[in-house]
């Protein structure tokens, strides 16, 4: 064994023998702080704090994160077991007023941080929705729910149009079968979905789906039933292609009085649906646990109000 090469544990001991560094680690164990916040908590000059943070970072104890001109530091979450055990031993021996004072000043630093955040929200409440949409888009509130979809599922996007929903679903599931009766729509969907290898486009009618019996786990009909001549036929087809235990999700227009206008301008066949009526049709098609609920209106939308309905194909 080469005795001139120091063992890692001794190297760590050399790092931890400095009180300023143990004070820093004690604070960073409780959360992430900027250099200026650590200076305030330790009442130490910035060059001193930065020098000790660099030593701790070089030795793997802390991890820096740049945010604009600020650097944030936190205790490393990837310490090896020996280092974690060593720190626990050292931590138990850190006793004294200086550590209590550091912790008290750090709590004040965090209170100040929360105060600044609260001031922002207090001054931004009237434009918060706009700010969120501007930063994250209109779907920010809905996208997390796609994480509830089982990643092993095959989903049928029935009436996919230009593939917008299929594109959103694709990263969350095993596969998407996107069906539409319009070649022109599928051409647009092909362009949008290029590079998404788990999406398959198929040409076909909702009333005669180009899917095998029990081929999919989830069927989605989003704003398409009002284009069908007989929605009950489409619901029956959805039941056929779903696996036992599979779910049908329908998003539709609530009944409205603009039927002639939309029939002429957009080819609508149905002027929306009553929730109870659609629920009865779903039950008639064989679905259990049918439930529907109105969707909250979008203040910027000019069309009819919407609702969502779901039902499950029984397992037996």
């Amino acid at each position: 064994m080469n005795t001139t090469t120091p063992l890692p544990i001794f190297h760590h001991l050399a790092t931890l023998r400095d009180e300023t560094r143990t004070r820093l680690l004690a604070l960073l164990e409780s959360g992430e702080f900027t250099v200026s916040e650590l200076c305030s908590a330790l009442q130490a000059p910035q060059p001193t704090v930065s020098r000790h943070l660099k030593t701790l970072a070089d030795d793997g104890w802390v991890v820096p994160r740049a945010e604009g001109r600020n650097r944030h530091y936190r205790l490393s979450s990837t310490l090896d077991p020996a280092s974690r055990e060593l720190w626990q031993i050292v931590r138990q021996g850190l006793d004294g007023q200086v550590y209590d004072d550091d912790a008290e000043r750090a709590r004040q630093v965090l209170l100040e941080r929360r105060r600044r955040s609260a001031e922002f929200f207090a001054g931004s409440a009237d434009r918060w929705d706009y700010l969120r949409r501007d930063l994250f888009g209109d779907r920010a509130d809905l996208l997390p729910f796609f994480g509830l979809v089982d990643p092993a599922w095959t989903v049928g996007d029935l009436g996919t149009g230009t593939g917008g929903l299929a594109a959103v679903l694709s990263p969350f599931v095993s596969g998407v079968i996107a069906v539409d009766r319009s070649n022109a729509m599928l051409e647009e969907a092909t362009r949008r979905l290029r590079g998404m290898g788990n999406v398959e486009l198929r040409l076909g009618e909702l009333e005669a789906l180009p899917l095998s019996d029990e081929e999919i786990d989830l069927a989605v009909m989003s704003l398409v039933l009002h284009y069908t001549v007989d929605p009950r036929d489409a619901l029956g087809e959805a039941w056929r292609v779903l696996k036992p235990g599979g779910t049908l999700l329908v998003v539709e227009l609530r009944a409205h009085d603009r039927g002639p206008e939309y029939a002429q301008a957009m080819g609508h066949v149905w002027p929306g649906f009553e929730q109870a009526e659609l629920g009865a049709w779903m039950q008639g098609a064989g679905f259990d646990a049918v439930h529907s609920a109105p969707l909250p209106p979008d203040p910027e939308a000019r069309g009819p109000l919407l609702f969502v309905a779901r039902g499950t194909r029984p397992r037996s």
Side-chain angles (χ1 to χ4, degrees):
M1 176 178 175
N2 184 355
T3 57
T4 62
T5 303
L7 294 172
I9 194 71
F10 295 133
H11 182 70
H12 288 327
L13 282 170
T15 301
L16 296 181
R17 70 183 179 184
D18 184 280
E19 185 180 51
T20 301
R21 291 197 281 269
T22 57
R23 290 169 66 189
L24 286 168
L25 286 176
L27 290 178
L28 294 173
E29 186 179 42
S30 64
E32 186 180 76
F33 292 87
T34 66
V35 175
S36 62
E37 289 173 339
L38 291 169
C39 291
S40 178
L42 269 66
Q43 292 191 330
Q46 186 268 330
T48 298
V49 170
S50 293
R51 184 177 72 254
H52 287 295
L53 285 171
K54 183 178 186 307
T55 299
L56 290 169
D58 290 344
D59 202 27
W61 287 101
V62 301
V63 178
R65 176 176 66 86
E67 186 177 281
R69 296 182 178 180
N70 291 323
R71 289 181 74 80
H72 300 248
Y73 285 84
R74 59 180 171 80
L75 193 68
S76 174
S77 59
T78 58
L79 287 173
D80 60 86
S83 298
R84 284 198 298 269
E85 186 174 355
L86 173 62
W87 169 240
Q88 290 306 312
I89 294 171
V90 173
R91 185 73 177 87
Q92 291 171 12
L94 300 182
D95 190 18
Q97 190 63 43
V98 65
Y99 291 97
D100 294 338
D101 291 346
D102 289 347
E104 185 173 345
R105 284 191 290 265
R107 285 193 291 271
Q108 191 59 42
V109 164
L110 294 177
L111 284 174
E112 177 62 19
R113 193 193 295 174
R114 294 189 186 100
R115 184 192 64 78
R116 292 195 302 268
S117 178
E119 284 182 352
F120 166 76
F121 286 113
S124 305
D126 60 341
R127 56 194 181 97
W128 179 239
D129 290 343
Y130 165 77
L131 290 172
R132 279 177 60 87
R133 285 196 302 271
D134 188 51
L135 285 174
F136 310 117
D138 292 331
R139 293 177 171 177
D141 293 331
L142 298 176
L143 285 176
F145 290 96
F146 286 101
L148 298 174
V149 178
D150 191 319
W153 280 356
T154 298
V155 178
D157 180 12
L158 310 181
T160 189
T162 59
L165 180 61
V168 175
L169 280 169
S170 172
F172 297 96
V173 296
S174 174
V176 180
I177 301 173
V179 177
D180 204 274
R181 67 184 180 186
S182 166
N183 273 311
M185 289 287 188
L186 291 179
E187 287 174 4
E188 290 296 322
T190 299
R191 283 188 279 271
R192 167 179 265 162
L193 299 167
R194 186 172 290 115
M196 298 183 181
N198 67 336
V199 181
E200 179 184 353
L201 298 174
R202 298 184 188 178
L203 180 67
E205 301 283 347
L206 292 183
E207 299 93 331
L209 289 169
L211 283 85
S212 303
D213 293 353
E214 304 180 5
E215 189 172 355
I216 58 177
D217 302 277
L218 171 66
V220 182
M221 293 180 170
S222 182
L223 300 175
V224 294
L225 274 184
H226 57 269
Y227 286 107
T228 62
V229 173
D230 192 338
R232 289 169 292 188
D233 289 344
L235 294 172
E237 275 291 274
W239 188 94
R240 177 184 67 80
V241 300
L242 276 169
K243 297 176 183 177
T247 298
L248 168 65
L249 191 65
V250 178
V251 178
E252 261 308 331
L253 312 177
R254 300 187 217 174
H256 58 84
D257 59 0
R258 306 182 211 177
E261 173 190 345
Y262 288 165
Q264 178 69 27
M266 291 179 285
H268 289 197
V269 178
W270 289 80
F273 302 95
E274 297 290 346
Q275 289 179 221
E277 181 179 44
L278 183 60
W281 289 348
M282 291 174 68
Q283 290 174 333
F287 288 99
D288 281 349
V290 174
H291 174 75
S292 66
L295 290 173
D298 184 334
E300 298 181 7
R302 296 182 298 162
L305 297 174
L306 307 177
F307 71 96
V308 62
R310 61 171 291 166
T312 303
R313 174 172 171 170
R315 293 188 179 275
S316 60

